[in-house]
Amino acid sequence: MEALRKQASKLREQVARQQQAVFKQFGGGGFGSPDSLFADAAEYKQHQKIEKLYISTRAAKHFQRDIVRGVEGYIVTGSKQVEIGNKLSEDSRKYGVENTCTSGNTLSNAALSYARARSQMENERGNLLKALGTQVAEPLRAMVVGAPLEDARHLAQRYDRMRQEAEAQATEVSKRHIKVRETVGAGDNISKLEAAEAKLQELKSNMAATGKEAVAAMAAVEAQQQRLTLQRLIAMVESERTYHQKILQILEQLEAEMLLEHQRFEASPNPVLENFMPPPPSYEEASGFFASSAVDGVTETVEYFLAEVINSYQAETDVELNLSVGDYVVVRKVSDNGWAEGECKGKAVLGIHKPKNMVFVTMAAAK
């Protein structure tokens, strides 16, 4: 619609210029000439002012509407976050109250602290959402649909219609001037010309008054839009800044409380923990025998090691053993050159590549 309106205004100005050229060609001029409508610089300036004010107030209205929609969307999603946060707070509080841990109440205290802090943060979020609704969305929405803006726009539209009528009447006056020149002495044409000029003068007078009124109303609305929108933006920033400052205070206090609980937990003697996943049994324990050898009547301990493979190895000969990470190997003997003899997955071989590929997890010895 705006594009069509601009195009129509442009066409009217082109027609007016053509009319001026035609009338000047026939020697027209004077008070009643149709070019007097456009020769008035003050009226043209007023017309341009109304055009700019109309565009400015329309853009500000759209911006206000965008802010309202954004804030309303933020309130909807924020309300859902408040609901989720309160549920988490309640779950944490419930655990803290009902926990029956036998080794201490450190986690219970931390859960209660978190529940209290989370509840406070959700309350602050709720206050923020309420402030955004009452201090930002509602005032802007009221102005978008308010009477001052609509009244000013109606005045501008009425001025535009009156200007169109004046342009049409100026065309009529131009035609009457031509007829008077073509029929010299025709009293009827002269009287009609005078009536057309009187009507044009009346339209111009009314249009000027309406134009001034429209400019004043549109300028007042524009100033109010600029002032109110800026105030609401500042209010929104201040509300969010206050919210984040309070959240930071809550989080700092919560962190201090939880770190204190953690320090108490670390300082307390740790209970003996039972291994719920014992290491794999040694080869001797699994086989039920030990090995020993005697040299010069002295019994020497023959140690069998159970090792876990930490680096894989691909056998290169038949007397070597393929190793995969996580395999367990019974190591019977380790040579000085770094090779070992042992068994893995029921296969006994002479060559196990370098014990650096393994980590010893158990050791059994017989005397």
Side-chain angles (χ1 to χ4, degrees):
M1 292 296 295
E2 180 64 20
L4 292 176
R5 191 171 65 82
K6 288 183 177 180
Q7 185 177 5
S9 177
K10 185 177 180 180
L11 290 174
R12 287 195 299 270
E13 292 177 358
Q14 291 177 351
V15 171
R17 286 194 295 269
Q18 293 175 355
Q19 291 174 348
Q20 294 173 23
V22 171
F23 191 77
K24 288 178 181 179
Q25 181 179 359
F26 287 95
F31 173 77
S33 62
D35 63 336
S36 61
L37 177 63
F38 302 99
D40 189 345
E43 193 283 327
Y44 181 77
K45 185 176 181 180
Q46 180 175 265
H47 173 70
Q48 294 296 317
K49 181 69 173 177
I50 293 176
E51 286 280 340
K52 292 178 180 179
L53 285 170
Y54 192 92
I55 295 173
S56 172
T57 54
R58 183 189 58 189
K61 174 183 177 180
H62 291 171
F63 180 48
Q64 290 176 331
R65 186 177 59 193
D66 292 339
I67 295 175
V68 171
R69 289 174 178 175
V71 170
E72 289 175 344
Y74 186 83
I75 291 174
V76 171
T77 57
S79 299
K80 185 62 177 178
Q81 290 177 334
V82 170
E83 179 182 346
I84 296 172
N86 285 332
K87 178 64 168 58
L88 177 58
S89 173
E90 178 60 24
D91 292 341
S92 299
R93 187 198 65 79
K94 184 176 180 182
Y95 175 82
V97 172
E98 300 178 357
N99 178 37
T100 58
C101 179
T102 59
S103 61
N105 59 355
T106 300
L107 183 57
S108 299
N109 293 337
L112 289 174
S113 297
Y114 180 81
R116 181 177 63 256
R118 173 53 61 184
S119 178
Q120 293 174 349
M121 288 189 289
E122 298 310 327
N123 287 336
E124 293 299 334
R125 190 194 299 270
N127 293 336
L128 171 64
L129 298 179
K130 185 182 299 183
L132 292 179
T134 57
Q135 299 180 20
V136 179
E138 291 180 7
L140 291 178
R141 186 188 303 110
M143 188 166 191
V144 168
V145 299
L149 175 61
E150 292 302 314
D151 292 345
R153 292 169 68 87
H154 289 159
L155 277 174
Q157 292 168 357
R158 192 199 317 174
Y159 166 81
D160 191 60
R161 290 193 298 268
M162 294 178 68
R163 196 169 193 274
Q164 293 179 29
E165 292 178 6
E167 290 173 353
Q169 186 62 27
T171 302
E172 178 66 19
V173 170
S174 176
K175 292 179 180 179
R176 293 297 175 187
H177 273 280
I178 294 173
K179 286 185 178 181
V180 168
R181 287 173 175 75
E182 290 177 348
T183 57
V184 179
D188 184 56
N189 289 335
I190 295 176
S191 62
K192 289 181 179 180
L193 172 61
E194 292 175 349
E197 290 177 339
K199 185 177 180 180
L200 175 61
Q201 180 61 29
E202 181 182 1
L203 287 173
K204 288 177 62 178
S205 177
N206 294 337
M207 181 184 68
T210 303
K212 291 180 181 180
E213 187 179 357
V215 167
M218 295 287 284
V221 169
E222 182 186 54
Q224 185 181 10
Q225 284 179 330
Q226 298 292 310
R227 181 176 60 256
L228 179 64
T229 306
L230 178 59
Q231 290 174 348
R232 295 311 95 198
L233 284 176
I234 294 174
M236 181 164 59
V237 171
E238 290 178 345
S239 297
E240 292 195 73
R241 180 173 61 88
T242 301
Y243 163 74
H244 288 294
Q245 287 176 340
K246 292 182 177 180
I247 293 299
L248 180 59
Q249 294 175 357
I250 295 172
L251 289 175
E252 287 178 344
Q253 181 180 355
L254 174 61
E255 182 184 29
E257 294 175 358
M258 298 185 78
L259 287 177
L260 181 59
E261 289 294 335
H262 183 264
Q263 292 173 0
R264 291 174 180 172
F265 178 78
E266 292 295 331
S268 62
N270 294 326
V272 179
L273 300 178
E274 296 182 357
N275 293 327
F276 60 93
M277 292 185 64
S282 65
Y283 179 80
E284 292 80 3
E285 294 172 339
S287 304
F289 71 90
F290 297 90
S292 63
S293 61
V295 179
D296 296 333
V298 179
T299 301
E300 295 181 351
T301 300
V302 180
E303 297 177 341
Y304 289 170
F305 299 96
L306 181 64
E308 181 182 359
V309 177
I310 59 174
N311 293 311
S312 61
Y313 176 73
Q314 185 69 30
E316 297 179 357
T317 65
D318 294 338
V319 296
E320 294 180 3
L321 187 64
N322 290 325
L323 300 178
S324 299
V325 176
D327 288 347
Y328 286 96
V329 180
V330 177
V331 182
R332 297 193 183 93
K333 181 180 179 181
V334 179
S335 303
D336 294 336
N337 60 7
W339 288 81
E341 176 184 342
E343 179 180 343
C344 179
K345 299 180 181 179
K347 183 178 181 181
V349 295
L350 297 175
I352 301 176
H353 185 256
K354 299 186 180 182
K356 69 178 183 179
N357 293 322
M358 299 174 288
V359 58
F360 297 130
V361 293
T362 62
M363 179 183 73
K367 298 182 179 179

